[in-house]
Amino acid sequence: MIPAPQGWDALVAHIGAHPVEGAPADMRAAFEALSCGGPSGHPMTLGGIECRRHGPDRGHPILWLHGGGLVFGSPASHAAGASHLSRLTGRPVILPAYRLAPEHPWPAPLEDAAAVLRALGRADVVGDSAGGMLALNLAQGDSAAVTALGLISPNTDRTGASLTRRAQSDLDLMNDDATDLRLARMAFGEDPAARDGASPLQGDLSHLPPVWITAATSEVLLDDTLLLVRALGLAGRPVEAHVEPGLCHMWTLWPNALDQTRRTYASLAEFLNRTTAEVRET
């Protein structure tokens, strides 16, 4: 496990030293090194899907769907964040090893996530980047089973509504429009915008549970968040939004590196525990 960088300058250098490029296998290896990993967690199988649980084996579960464009990422790459969130909430955080593209294109990741959720019964669901897109699809498909949504820089729209995908490609240290589209084509096919599920912003938002969402101002996916916040408001759904200055996509991979990251997790944990308490009171 590579030691986590300490501070913004060290993080910028670390990101620059670990470009996530090449064939899928190369990207997966590079992303594992980039993320620095974390505690291994407890291995378990839910709905036939291998998972890792962080924290206690009791309590209302938090299902975390990791990012990585549906092509890379794993329970190991997101272990530090999941472990940190579990400590803050005092609840189990479960990371499934859902199938990845291009070997397993859409909807394989959603089928795996749904299998885990069915095994859990009900859960809060957290997702970052493409994992946020996956979490939105999961909640749209079974809103009764998802008690709260925590979304970190989610991919929400591929219809061209975003103005920041191209405009901010030179600003985002961790993502750019061309790479994002390349990953989407591996997962959804040559025309992602034409595929059901690729743009959950365009789907039915009217039955979603309370949503907490965050993004950084310099992200390629900033508009994916802002458009979703607006759409949730118009749909009459409760939403709590945080837009963070001076950060990059996937800053939550490194809770040991930045005070801003720890503040993000503190806000998310407070929302999840508050929402869970409100659900139990109704």
Side-chain angles (χ1 to χ4, degrees), residues 133 136 154-158 165 198-202 224-225 228:
M133 179 275 297
L136 267 173
N155 251 293
T156 70
D157 184 76
R158 296 198 172 276
R165 281 183 175 266
S199 299
L201 172 68
Q202 307 300 327
D224 283 54
T225 284
L228 179 62

Side-chain angles (χ1 to χ4, degrees), residues 11-39:
L11 180 57
V12 170
H14 177 72
I15 292 170
H18 296 86
V20 182
E21 300 171 341
D26 298 323
M27 287 191 285
R28 289 165 189 163
F31 190 72
E32 295 295 321
L34 174 65
S35 69
C36 301

Side-chain angles (χ1 to χ4, degrees), residues 107-257:
L110 181 59
E111 292 168 349
D112 291 355
V116 174
L117 181 61
R118 284 194 298 271
L120 291 172
R122 300 184 83 201
D124 293 351
V125 179
V126 171
D128 62 298
S129 192
M133 179 275 297
L134 193 53
L136 267 173
N137 273 278
L138 192 63
Q140 286 171 325
D142 192 355
S143 59
V146 179
T147 45
L149 269 176
L151 304 175
I152 302 168
S153 308
N155 251 293
T156 70
D157 184 76
R158 296 198 172 276
T159 67
S162 168
L163 298 179
T164 59
R165 281 183 175 266
R166 293 185 179 179
Q168 302 204 154
S169 279
D170 293 335
L171 301 178
D172 193 336
L173 297 175
M174 283 284 289
N175 196 13
D176 62 76
D177 186 52
T179 300
D180 192 78
L181 180 57
R182 179 186 174 221
L183 296 175
R185 284 173 170 163
M186 289 185 193
F188 293 102
E190 190 61 26
D191 186 9
R195 292 295 303 275
D196 289 342
S199 299
L201 172 68
Q202 307 300 327
D204 183 7
L205 306 175
S206 63
H207 301 291
L208 290 183
V211 178
W212 179 98
I213 188 169
T214 190
T217 54
S218 59
E219 285 197 75
V220 165
L221 298 182
L222 175 61
D223 263 0
D224 283 54
T225 284
L226 299 180
L227 291 165
L228 179 62
V229 171
R230 179 180 183 274
L232 287 166
L234 291 173
R237 305 313 302 150
V239 57
E240 180 178 317
H242 302 264
V243 179
E244 302 290 348
L247 297 171
C248 62
H249 188 55
M250 282 192 158
W251 76 93
T252 51
L253 282 175
W254 303 281
N256 297 324

Side-chain angles (χ1 to χ4, degrees), residues 50-67:
E50 293 183 5
C51 302
R52 290 277 173 171
R53 188 195 75 235
H54 294 268
D57 60 359
R58 295 185 179 183
H60 188 60
I62 300 168
L63 172 59
W64 186 321
L65 303 172
H66 69 76

